[in-house]
Amino acid sequence: MSNDAATAANATRTTLTTPPVDSPDTEPPVFGIGASLPPADARAKTEGTFPYAADLWAEGLLWAAVLRSPHPHARILSIDTSAAAEMPGVRTVVTHEDVPGDGAYGRRVVDRPVFASELVRHHGEPIAAVAADHPDTARLAAAAIVVEYEILEPVTDPEKAFEAEPLHPDGNLIRHIPLRYGDPDIAGEVIVEGLYRIGRQDPAPIGAEAGLAVPRPDGGVEIYTASTDPHTDRDLAAACFGLEPDRVKIVVTGVPGATGDREDPGFQLPLGLLALRTGCPVKLAATREESFLGHAHRHPTLLRYRHHADAEGRLVKVEAQILLDAGAYADASSESLAAAVAFACGPYVVPHAFIEGWAVRTNNPPSGHVRGEGAMQVCAAYEGQMDKLAAKLGIEPAELRLRNSLSTGDILPTGQTVTCPAPVAELLRAVRDFPLPTLPKDSPEDDWLLPGGPEGAGEPGAVRRGVGYALGMVHMLGAEGADEVSTATVKVHDGVATVICAAVETGQGFSTLARQVVQETLGIEEVHVASVDTDQPPAGPATHGRHTWVSAGAVERAAKMVRTQLLQPLAHKFGMSTELLQIANGKITSYDGVLSTTVTEAMDGKELWATAQCRPHPTEPLDESGQGDAFVGLAFCAVRAVVDVDIELGSIRVVEMAVAQDVGRVLNPSQLATRIEAGITQGIGTALTENLRTARGLIRHPDLTGYALPTALDAPDIRIVKLVEERDVVAPFGAKPASAVPVVTSPAAVAAAVRAATGRPINRLPIRPQAAVAAVNS
């Protein structure tokens, strides 16, 4: 790390110490698979010309505002919209009475009303919406709606939800998974126990939610928004509007980053209703406060663990209780719980496991899909247990983990055999053996390197350095029988290829990967990816690395079909099979050199196209004992964190994160490094700063001053010390998604490092300063 204080703002450096290509002696390709192809939209985003939903405009535009509940739990006695409706400039006001049918929606469980009718179940729940000719008028009109509430006692403790009065007709228990694996009576020679709490993390998108709804002449509506699952959103909207799905169209605008369900339907549905009601385009641009109140967050989780091991540190049995706070509605809680229970033991060989998992409704803010859901919470807990076990046995933490590491052919506690590459021990050895960073000098010019930065209140003598390790795992694609399928079309005309696929580019790099796949297969450098809307066949949600696998796989199959169409006439003309022809750098050549022509000449003005689907092998739901082949594939990561802690003040500075990850195959080296760096940085936020605090169900400080995201000054050196390219034979290109597993693993590594520095247990994330104050300052 540089000692020049002027470089502090740029202190984050990602160092790729292992070449991400198979042979370091080979020149990296200019385009196609393996090239560091830059994103096509990079320039527009850098210059500020990229079109986001908040930038959209339409003739005759009206503005929307939503009235939200100030209470976490209340009975609605009356709603009086007369004053709002009579205000000059107001075109309409809608409430639950204007929603066709039962007025409820849900991507997985239909349990959430568009507008609250009888009961308010969480702070910020929508009550009514207004359309007016000016955004200020809309907000004033929303504030003029008079709602009479009977305030009810909120249920905010998930442990009390089991005995509390039902908050919803479906009850308070969303799902219970009892995992049973092995002998319940067996015990280890050494036992450690722990209680862990994970806070409420917000996706905190850089751009708050926004959208534009435009009515259609046929009585339908088009909604322009940053959806990450447009076809599901279309179907939900159509049901709520009382329309057939073909009369609702979702057009995906630029997505300003996504680490979960980017656009909650609760932002889109009022827009569509207002547009249908007024016959005019209606736009909504949420404030940051509305964004925090409206969308789903990571599940706050309570975890109780008991680990059994023998005298050599080999795990014998793991017992755990996992309680997820789903908030007011079900959303993705069932899937999150399945991941938490299935991965509760981590990437370790555990011959006996007994896990109880619950997801319950409360009057807290809704929880949903955030990158690494379920897996992140349990990783922090089981790695805390491994550190406790290492301390009790007097074994080095890394060595203890190596003795128990999972590998290909081992069996998960769900009974599923690990058939994909699982180089867990190799990853851990890589970060363990990587040289540690040097200690900062005790001199004034290096003050910015200390916890708290320059002008900090602490003394350099109170700073202790800690090193911690963590291993994490995530599942790829959907789970428990989810039908993972994607469709793509590839067209080629005049030397230009176009990809049509409804896979949304959320920052994960799909658009760039799709271009690379077509370049690799057809040898055409100029490839365009069409914008996404629901007139295209569905491609599914942008979660769990789906688009790297199923959508890019569909693009590859379609491109190969076009390749066959292109080569068959030439092969027939020269009396050879298409397998004897190759395409590279825009040229078609035969194995014997007899044929040599360009792709453009072979096209001869024709337009070739093909459509293909990709669907991985099926999975199955977990049974009543938590058993089943629930996952298509797994990805693993090892992280070593180095932190400096002021043990008197509790301030923490992450010095370095060393990362080793199994990626299957590197498809775009620079893009991969960026995804890993982003995941590690998000994980540091989870570990140290990000906590959406609530008081009796009320969100406190719903803004980016009260919710602290890590900045460039908070990000450490990130060393990518090893990328294991052991290809997954069932995955297209053999690649594994890369973003989620660093998010899952890095918070646990930071917590482990703080434990090492302070001697404190560190059983809560984010880590509070008082928890990092050493019990004995030595």
Side-chain angles (χ1 to χ4, degrees):
M1 180 177 287
S2 171
N3 291 329
D4 184 358
T7 65
N10 298 312
T12 303
R13 296 195 303 274
T14 300
T15 303
L16 190 62
T17 60
T18 300
V21 292
D22 291 336
S23 172
D25 300 324
T26 303
E27 282 292 322
V30 177
F31 61 85
I33 298 297
S36 289
L37 195 69
D41 56 12
R43 180 171 185 140
K45 288 181 176 178
T46 303
E47 295 177 345
T49 59
F50 189 76
Y52 295 108
D55 304 319
L56 299 178
W57 189 264
E59 190 69 29
L61 183 70
L62 299 177
W63 293 84
V66 177
L67 174 67
R68 297 180 179 275
S69 168
H71 309 294
H73 195 201
R75 180 171 287 107
I76 298 175
L77 302 178
S78 65
I79 303 174
D80 184 357
T81 63
S82 57
E86 292 169 3
M87 291 179 64
V90 172
R91 294 290 295 273
T92 192
V93 181
V94 293
T95 67
H96 66 93
E97 295 179 349
D98 301 293
V99 183
D102 59 8
Y105 69 94
R107 286 182 175 166
R108 298 155 180 93
V109 178
V110 180
D111 66 344
R112 189 170 183 173
V114 178
F115 297 113
S117 57
E118 298 178 358
L119 288 175
V120 165
R121 296 186 176 93
H122 72 90
H123 179 208
E125 185 158 15
I127 305 295
V130 176
D133 56 10
H134 191 278
D136 289 342
T137 304
R139 284 191 285 268
L140 289 170
I145 298 172
V146 178
V147 184
E148 185 181 357
Y149 298 99
E150 177 190 345
I151 299 176
L152 304 175
E153 185 68 20
V155 177
T156 58
D157 184 345
E159 290 189 282
K160 295 181 179 178
F162 293 97
E163 304 298 331
E165 289 295 317
L167 303 176
H168 191 277
D170 294 342
N172 294 346
L173 179 63
I174 295 171
R175 189 177 186 185
H176 172 221
I177 302 177
L179 186 149
R180 305 284 182 265
Y181 181 71
D183 182 359
D185 297 323
I186 199 166
E189 298 173 68
V190 180
I191 300 174
V192 294
E193 298 183 355
L195 174 67
Y196 303 87
R197 295 181 185 273
I198 310 299
R200 180 177 290 102
Q201 186 185 14
D202 192 271
I206 296 302
E209 289 79 1
L212 172 67
V214 180
R216 302 198 320 194
D218 64 356
V221 66
E222 294 184 359
I223 301 176
Y224 297 78
T225 187
S227 170
T228 57
D229 188 3
H231 288 83
T232 299
D233 287 348
R234 177 202 61 187
D235 295 344
L236 292 177
C240 290
F241 301 158
L243 299 173
E244 292 298 319
D246 61 2
R247 293 176 65 190
V248 177
K249 181 178 179 180
I250 303 291
V251 180
V252 178
T253 60
V255 178
T259 59
D261 287 336
R262 179 59 179 82
E263 286 287 307
D264 190 287
F267 288 95
Q268 307 165 18
L269 299 176
L271 271 180
L273 288 168
L274 291 170
L276 290 167
R277 183 77 172 265
T278 62
C280 297
V282 183
K283 180 176 178 177
L284 172 66
T287 65
R288 181 58 61 178
E289 179 177 353
E290 288 177 313
S291 181
F292 274 110
L293 293 176
H295 61 225
H297 315 90
R298 189 186 297 281
H299 291 79
T301 307
L302 177 67
L303 309 102
R304 292 182 174 89
Y305 267 81
R306 181 183 295 127
H307 274 53
H308 299 247
D310 63 21
E312 282 72 44
R314 289 181 175 80
L315 293 173
V316 174
K317 183 170 69 173
V318 171
E319 300 170 284
Q321 295 177 335
I322 302 167
L323 178 58
L324 270 59
D325 181 355
Y329 299 106
D331 202 81
S333 296
S334 180
E335 292 86 342
S336 298
L337 183 66
V341 170
F343 303 146
C345 300
Y348 301 110
V349 177
V350 178
H352 310 276
F354 296 86
I355 317 295
E356 295 279 352
W358 303 270
V360 296
R361 290 183 175 89
T362 65
N363 291 122
N364 289 320
S367 302
H369 169 71
V370 179
R371 184 185 291 159
E373 74 274 12
M376 190 286 289
Q377 292 95 318
V378 295
C379 181
Y382 65 65
E383 289 297 74
Q385 289 291 100
M386 295 300 283
D387 281 345
K388 283 188 176 184
L389 197 57
K392 192 164 186 176
L393 289 167
I395 301 173
E396 285 294 321
E399 174 60 29
L400 178 73
R401 288 166 168 83
L402 284 172
R403 293 181 187 182
N404 293 282
S405 59
L406 194 75
S407 60
T408 304
D410 287 329
I411 300 175
L412 299 176
T414 60
Q416 180 170 348
T417 301
V418 179
T419 57
C420 66
V424 179
E426 182 180 356
L427 299 175
L428 180 54
R429 290 191 184 97
V431 296
R432 181 198 62 182
D433 298 340
F434 188 71
L436 288 165
T438 58
L439 291 166
K441 299 174 184 177
D442 186 13
S443 59
E445 61 267 23
D446 291 317
D447 282 350
W448 69 275
L449 293 171
L450 297 174
E455 311 298 331
E459 293 293 334
V463 175
R464 299 288 184 272
R465 174 157 290 187
V467 179
Y469 297 91
L471 297 174
M473 61 191 296
V474 298
H475 67 91
M476 298 179 287
L477 311 184
E480 294 194 278
D483 183 19
E484 295 291 353
V485 62
S486 185
T487 304
T489 298
V490 174
K491 295 183 178 181
V492 180
H493 183 62
D494 288 339
V496 178
T498 301
V499 177
I500 301 171
C501 183
V504 178
E505 172 59 67
T506 64
Q508 86 280 41
F510 169 75
S511 293
T512 306
L513 177 58
R515 291 163 55 211
Q516 291 180 269
V517 170
V518 175
Q519 289 172 344
E520 180 84 5
T521 306
L522 297 177
I524 297 174
E525 185 171 1
E526 187 174 354
V527 182
H528 302 291
V529 179
S531 56
V532 175
D533 60 52
T534 50
D535 286 344
Q536 302 164 8
T543 57
H544 302 298
R546 290 186 69 264
H547 294 325
T548 299
W549 186 316
V550 293
S551 295
V555 172
E556 180 192 37
R557 292 183 181 186
K560 285 182 175 180
M561 292 166 67
V562 172
R563 185 181 188 276
T564 300
Q565 295 174 27
L566 176 64
L567 297 181
Q568 272 182 338
L570 292 173
H572 180 73
K573 179 179 179 180
F574 285 87
M576 61 181 68
S577 69
T578 57
E579 286 75 16
L580 299 178
L581 301 177
Q582 64 178 8
I583 302 177
N585 299 319
K587 292 184 178 180
I588 303 173
T589 55
S590 61
Y591 75 103
D592 56 5
V594 172
L595 170 62
S596 180
T597 185
T598 66
V599 171
T600 302
E601 290 172 345
M603 289 288 298
D604 193 25
K606 296 179 292 185
E607 179 178 281
L608 303 179
W609 67 274
T611 299
Q613 284 189 334
C614 180
R615 176 182 272 116
H617 64 81
T619 57
E620 61 187 25
L622 297 175
D623 64 18
E624 63 277 1
S625 298
Q627 302 297 295
D629 290 346
F631 308 110
V632 176
L634 304 169
F636 304 91
C637 180
V639 176
R640 185 193 69 192
V642 179
V643 305
D644 285 343
V645 184
D646 187 320
I647 60 173
E648 293 179 349
L649 299 178
S651 54
I652 302 166
R653 175 178 170 269
V654 182
V655 176
E656 180 188 270
M657 301 288 276
V659 190
Q661 191 166 322
D662 88 299
V663 296
R665 181 184 178 189
V666 177
L667 305 177
N668 184 315
S670 64
Q671 189 165 273
L672 175 62
T674 300
R675 301 305 293 160
I676 294 174
E677 176 185 344
I680 291 291
T681 306
Q682 184 182 357
I684 291 171
T686 303
L688 298 180
T689 63
E690 295 189 48
N691 187 24
L692 192 65
R693 294 173 294 167
T694 60
R696 292 181 55 79
L698 296 173
I699 296 178
R700 300 173 57 190
H701 309 298
D703 52 51
L704 292 180
T705 56
Y707 187 83
L709 292 169
T711 68
L713 289 175
D714 300 305
D717 281 352
I718 299 173
R719 310 290 190 182
I720 303 177
V721 302
K722 188 161 194 174
L723 300 176
V724 176
E725 293 193 71
E726 186 178 350
R727 299 183 184 182
D728 191 334
V729 296
V730 300
F733 327 108
K736 294 185 177 185
S739 300
V741 69
V743 178
V744 165
T745 314
S746 51
V750 172
V754 176
R755 284 189 204 101
T758 64
R760 299 294 299 276
I762 311 299
N763 56 5
R764 181 190 294 261
L765 295 181
I767 303 169
R768 298 176 295 181
Q770 57 267 39
V773 176
V776 179
N777 295 339
S778 59

